[in-house]
Amino acid sequence: MATKIRAEVSIKNKYRIDKHRHYELKHFCLQYPMWKKAYSDFDDVSIPLSTIERVSTSNLPGDPTAKRALMKAYYSERINLLEKVAMEADRYLGGYILKAVTENLSYTYLKTKLDIPCGKDMYYDRYRRFFWLLSEARA
């Protein structure tokens, strides 16, 4: 996936964050579908733990049940963080924002396919607010 280089947000913008911090958070958000899948995989005890471990678990207890519980908590924390911040950014547009940042969707796609109920300026204001809030939450 190539990263599109966009102009930096104006210094005067109230939700301005550093360009590289924005890219870091954007790539953090793009892991959301993987987290959702991993979280659901940990529910299925018939799947061996070694096939679904996506992060190092060598420092976790040897008990497979405890490892599953800790990994579920790890993914749950990240999933809930993105969902909470999206709703905090805007109560009505939170679902659209979450979908856009986790699936790398443009406003044009949201408007034409999902009929987002706002204009471009309002959407991008809330989009920037989302990343500003996420930056604060992950500080």
Side-chain angles (χ1 to χ4, degrees), residues 52-76:
I52 55 176
E53 289 181 28
R54 289 178 174 82
V55 294
S56 174
T57 59
S58 58
N59 61 342
L60 297 178
D63 177 19
T65 305
K67 277 188 180 184
R68 283 184 188 276
L70 289 170
M71 293 308 296
K72 278 188 66 128
Y74 172 85
Y75 290 119
S76 176

Side-chain angles (χ1 to χ4, degrees), residues 13-72:
N13 190 298
K14 60 186 171 190
Y15 301 127
R16 184 188 187 285
I17 59 174
D18 179 69
K19 174 175 68 172
H20 298 290
R21 176 68 171 166
H22 173 78
Y23 288 133
E24 173 191 342
L25 295 171
K26 184 172 184 158
H27 289 115
F28 177 78
C29 292
L30 291 172
Q31 296 174 66
Y32 180 85
M34 182 206 63
W35 298 333
K36 295 283 277 193
K37 182 176 179 343
Y39 182 83
S40 67
D41 286 349
F42 280 107
D43 282 336
D44 189 353
V45 292
S46 67
I47 299 174
L49 196 57
S50 62
T51 63
I52 55 176
E53 289 181 28
R54 289 178 174 82
V55 294
S56 174
T57 59
S58 58
N59 61 342
L60 297 178
D63 177 19
T65 305
K67 277 188 180 184
R68 283 184 188 276
L70 289 170
M71 293 308 296
K72 278 188 66 128

Side-chain angles (χ1 to χ4, degrees), residues 47-115:
I47 299 174
L49 196 57
S50 62
T51 63
I52 55 176
E53 289 181 28
R54 289 178 174 82
V55 294
S56 174
T57 59
S58 58
N59 61 342
L60 297 178
D63 177 19
T65 305
K67 277 188 180 184
R68 283 184 188 276
L70 289 170
M71 293 308 296
K72 278 188 66 128
Y74 172 85
Y75 290 119
S76 176
E77 178 185 312
R78 281 155 178 71
I79 290 165
N80 292 337
L81 173 66
L82 289 186
E83 292 171 354
K84 178 182 150 274
V85 171
M87 289 303 140
E88 197 176 323
D90 190 283
R91 198 168 64 167
Y92 301 106
L93 300 177
Y96 293 101
I97 292 169
L98 183 65
K99 189 160 184 67
V101 300
T102 60
E103 297 177 26
N104 203 24
L105 302 176
S106 67
Y107 172 78
T108 304
Y109 180 90
L110 295 175
K111 189 65 175 173
T112 57
K113 300 289 186 185
L114 304 178
D115 199 28

